[in-house]
Amino acid sequence: MTVRVYNGLQIDVPDVWADVSTVIVAPKAPLLEGKKPPVNLVVKRRPCEKEEIDASLQKYLRFMQAQFGALVDVQQKDMLVGAMKGKAVQFEATHDGKKFRQITLLYHAGGEEISATVTQLDGDATSLADIEKLLRSVKPMAAGVRGLR
């Protein structure tokens, strides 16, 4: 067992277990009022094989299309997270009658796939520049620190 820290929580984790943690952050004000925030960031990490980022991104898009049907205005671009190369994909869709935009940055680091996704409901005022800055800020910490190998 190894003691690891995740989001300020200490957990004794078996050494043969992998980190597949998910982090979700959102604006505080709507949450305090008991409302759903108009924008959020979800970060996931999972062990991965030496798969190309493009292949991972295509799997992700097929999954999202199966969930939401038509994906509108799909755009892709290369992005850097520190020195790591990643790919971002953006699309619009509708779920339960609500239009939203989703932007996901995907990259591989240390044998893991990291995905950072911002979901933005139609009408949210957060700028694309602020969203991209937020996505680029999602980076692994130094090895051996706070739950990382």
Side-chain angles (χ1 to χ4, degrees), residues 10 61 72 85-86 94 118 123 128:
Q10 178 178 309
L61 285 172
V72 180
K85 293 179 183 179
T94 303
V118 171
L128 184 57

Side-chain angles (χ1 to χ4, degrees), residues 95-109:
H95 181 66
D96 289 338
K98 293 184 180 178
K99 186 177 175 183
F100 67 92
R101 174 171 65 177
Q102 198 165 78
I103 304 168
T104 296
L105 172 61
L106 186 69
Y107 65 92
H108 295 166

Side-chain angles (χ1 to χ4, degrees), residues 77-80 88 90 103 105 118 126-138:
K77 75 177 192 177
D78 295 329
M79 285 180 74
L80 286 176
Q90 171 182 311
I103 304 168
L105 172 61
V118 171
T126 308
S127 72
L128 184 57
D130 285 344
I131 289 172
E132 287 189 4
K133 182 178 178 183
L134 178 62
L135 291 171
R136 281 191 191 99
S137 74
V138 177

Side-chain angles (χ1 to χ4, degrees), residues 45-95:
R45 57 193 278 186
R46 62 196 73 66
C48 72
E49 298 293 320
K50 292 284 185 189
E51 184 175 74
E52 289 295 318
I53 298 281
D54 289 324
S56 294
L57 208 53
Q58 292 310 312
K59 282 184 195 175
Y60 167 75
L61 285 172
R62 284 191 300 274
F63 174 78
M64 297 310 285
Q65 191 168 25
Q67 299 301 305
F68 301 115
L71 304 180
V72 180
D73 196 24
V74 178
Q75 301 174 38
Q76 295 184 35
K77 75 177 192 177
D78 295 329
M79 285 180 74
L80 286 176
V81 180
M84 293 168 284
K85 293 179 183 179
K87 285 259 187 187
V89 63
Q90 171 182 311
F91 63 85
E92 293 179 0
T94 303
H95 181 66

